Structure formats: structure tokens, C-alpha cells
Amino acid sequence: MHIAEGFLPPAHAVAWGAAAAPFVVHGARSLIREVREHPESTLLLGASGAFTFVLSALKLPSVTGSCSHPTGTGLGAILFRPPVMAVLGTITLLFQALLLAHGGLTTLGANVFSMAVVGPWAGYGVYRLLRRTGVPLMTAVFFGAFAADLSTYCVTSVQLALAFPDPGSGFVGALGKFGSIFAVTQIPLAVSEGLLTVLVMRMLVQSSKGELTRLGVLVTTAAGRKPAEPAGAVTR
Amino acid sequence: MSRNAKINGLLLLLVAALAVLPLALGLGDHKEEPFAGADAEAETAITEIDPDYEPWFSPLYEPPSGEVESALFALQAAIGTGVLAYYFGLRRGRRQGEARERERAGTDPGSGTGAGAGAGAGAGPDDDVAGAGAGRTV
């Protein structure tokens, strides 16, 4: 759930737009480079974008008695690194702002910053950190997607608390208020997003081994041991 | 059903349970408007904190009704699902084609080939992947 149209004061809207813009430009460059150098990855890029399209259209009920939706940015960030997701996330946000009156053009900068910049980087960071410490692929994917989803809505809460500090309790009070609306609602949804991302990653491990190896998600070991857990385990 | 398919099914079941449980347990009952969008709740919170705040911009286009809005959301999900389905369908088709090609040529040595090609022609998606994967030298 993004910040609605017109609900950020102009100065904030401009500032977040300025903060997000370089990431989107850099992301567009790396997207173009990726497509030019590896035309075969265009399809998987499309699939990553499609995943955010599906997941951010899924408004799910949560334990707080309200609804929100996942973001789907973790998958693409893990596959293609975060910059690419700055572009794919922005496309999704634009679609929703223009056609669905969900989010908005004046709040696009803030929403891009939370969903298409911080989310992918947080998810990618968690994923890489876990992989480096020897955590199995699918566990790392789950927590990466979980972090991408939840961090997005934590940033949204911070953005709103900065724009609307509580008259009594200030920024912290407002953060608690917006956090309980966005971040708490999002926890079970972030679990769902983690599970769905694991599902898609499992299907990718089965169907696109070569591609995942090229992208560094699957590592082929010299000993000839199967790196991927699910598909390799079946035959033995 | 293979072990792989079972795990995938279990993942979907968990997601469904996470979505249905709040509804089934009536977790929205304490609210005036149960299961409203979190963004609408945030708008309410903003007007509580700053009653004078007026949104200074309104959407260029707003779906005229909830029906049209849900149609557009469904369209968004459908576009995404369509692309994903195309991707996985194409990959599966290519794999099967490659397996059949190998079977016809009979060039690939080793015991893995027979299993891979045979499963690719007949059995479920999971077995054929594993078989083909084992037959290929990566």
C-alpha cells in the first residue's frame, strides 16, 4: 500500500523524487546493459517484472484487520541485483498511479524510494549476507524476499512520520502510529511473499539452471556435486 | 505426486492459510470497516495528526467505481501471470524439445540420458527436469 496521491507536502514530494531519481536512472542504464550483453536474459527480466506486477496487485487481509499487498521486488533483486528493480518497480508503481488511483504521481518519488530502491537493496543485502554465511539457497531467498517486502513498508512509515510528526509525541509518536498501520500489517504478508518467492525460485532452479548459474544464484562446484537442492535431490 | 510437487503445493497452501486465517478468525471485527486498505487507514491517521491537511493533488484518472477498479487490478494480475506462465511454458517446451532431440540422435553417452529423455516424454514436470539435469554435463 503506497502513499496516496497528494498526501505528501510538496517539499517532501520533491525531496523524495530527487532522492529516487538517480537510482532509477542508474537502474535504467544497468537494465539496458544487461539486455545488450545478455539478450537471452530479457525473458527472465520480463518474468521478474511480471512477478512484481502480480504480487502488488494481490491485496491480502492481514492480522491487523486491514489489507495490504506484497511488492514482489525481492526476486528480481536476487536474480539481477537491485538497480534493475528500481526500473521494474517504477513501472509497476506508474501503472498503479495512472490507472488505479493507487499511490500517485506526486508521491511517486517517495513510493519508488521505498518499494523500488530500499526494498530491493535490503532484500539483496539480507540474501547475500545469508548466502555468505553458508545458509541454503532457499532459506536465503525466503529471508531476502521477506526483508525486501517489510523494509518497503517501514520506509513508508518513516516517510509519513517525517511529513506528519505527531503534535504531542513528535516524529517517534507518528512513526509508531504509521508503523502499526503499515509495518505490522505487512509482517504476515512479507511471510507470504517469502514463500511465493521461494516457490518461483524453485521453479526457476528446475527450468532455468543455465541462466541461474550465469547470474551467480546457482554455483557449480568443482567436485561435481549438485548445487541446487530441490531438483537434484529427487533422482537420488 | 513427486516430492517436489508436494513441497510446491505446501508452499501455496501456507500462503492461502495466511490470507484466509485473518478472515476466518474475524480479526477485522473490531474495526468500523474491516479489512480496509492500509493506505486508506494512513490517510485517516494523517487527518488525525494534522486536521487541516488538504491533499494538494488528486489522481489524473480515478476508476469510476469499485467494479472498474477491481477489473483493473485483475488486469494487472493477469498481465503478470500471463508473462510468468509464458516464461515457464516456454522453458518447459524447450527442455522437452532438447530431450527429444537427444533421444533421437542418441549421441549423449551415460545412463542419465535415457532417464532424462524418457521422463521428458511422459512423466510430470519435476521428474523430467531432474532427469535432464542429471544427463547434462554442466
Side-chain angles (χ1 to χ4, degrees), chain A residues 1-2 4-10 13 40 43-44 46-48 50-54 56-57 59-68 92 95-103 105-106 160 164-167 174 177-178 181-182 185 188 191-192 195-196 198-200 202-209 211 213 220 226 230-231 233-236, chain B residues 2-5 7-9 11-12 14-15 18-20 22-23 27-28 30-31 33-50 53-63 68-69 71-81 83-84 86-88 90-92 94-95 125-127 129-131 133-134 136 138:
Chain A
M1 287 293 169
H2 316 296
E5 185 76 282
F7 269 88
L8 272 186
E40 72 276 12
L43 257 180
L44 188 54
S48 307
F51 188 67
T52 62
F53 240 64
V54 179
S56 52
K59 294 186 184 178
L60 298 168
S62 174
V63 287
T64 48
S66 50
C67 279
S68 188
T92 309
F95 181 92
Q96 295 198 321
L98 290 175
L99 287 180
L100 300 164
H102 184 64
L105 293 178
T106 60
L160 283 173
F164 301 99
D166 194 85
K177 201 168 201 169
F178 292 117
I181 292 172
F182 281 116
T185 303
V191 173
S192 295
L195 295 172
L196 287 172
V198 166
L199 177 71
V200 171
R202 288 171 54 83
M203 292 167 69
L204 285 175
V205 166
Q206 290 175 21
S207 71
S208 321
K209 270 208 176 70
E211 192 81 2
T213 310
T220 35
K226 276 276 166 133
V234 180
T235 37
R236 257 138 261 201
Chain B
S2 74
R3 178 168 165 269
N4 238 326
I7 294 174
N8 289 350
L11 286 170
L12 283 174
L14 277 172
V15 173
L18 275 171
V20 171
L23 298 173
L27 294 176
H30 62 287
K31 302 219 167 177
E33 198 190 338
F35 297 110
D39 48 355
E41 289 190 354
E43 288 172 28
T44 315
I46 289 171
T47 38
E48 272 171 33
I49 290 176
D50 187 355
Y53 187 80
E54 285 285 331
W56 55 284
F57 199 81
S58 44
L60 300 176
Y61 169 78
E62 217 160 338
V68 178
E69 191 187 344
L72 287 168
F73 264 105
L75 177 70
Q76 185 187 335
I79 293 172
T81 314
V83 173
L84 280 172
Y86 176 79
Y87 178 84
F88 284 112
L90 187 77
R91 287 284 161 157
R92 183 157 150 70
R94 272 192 198 158
R95 270 197 331 270
D126 311 302
D127 313 84
V129 184
R136 217 180 296 143
V138 187

Side-chain angles (χ1 to χ4, degrees), chain A residues 93-197:
Chain A
L93 284 165
L94 260 178
F95 181 92
Q96 295 198 321
L98 290 175
L99 287 180
L100 300 164
H102 184 64
L105 293 178
T106 60
T107 51
L108 186 67
N111 290 331
V112 165
F113 195 83
S114 63
M115 180 178 138
V117 177
V118 175
W121 276 106
Y124 181 72
V126 167
Y127 164 78
R128 285 305 299 255
L129 201 75
L130 290 176
R131 284 301 274 162
R132 201 161 292 173
T133 49
V135 169
L137 175 66
M138 290 307 164
T139 315
V141 167
F142 173 84
F143 284 106
F146 178 87
D149 185 311
L150 193 58
S151 62
T152 297
Y153 289 91
C154 292
V155 172
T156 304
S157 307
V158 170
Q159 287 169 332
L160 283 173
L162 282 172
F164 301 99
D166 194 85
S169 48
F171 169 76
V172 178
L175 185 61
K177 201 168 201 169
F178 292 117
S180 71
I181 292 172
F182 281 116
V184 180
T185 303
Q186 203 65 28
I187 293 171
L189 300 196
V191 173
S192 295
E193 168 154 4
L195 295 172
L196 287 172
T197 307

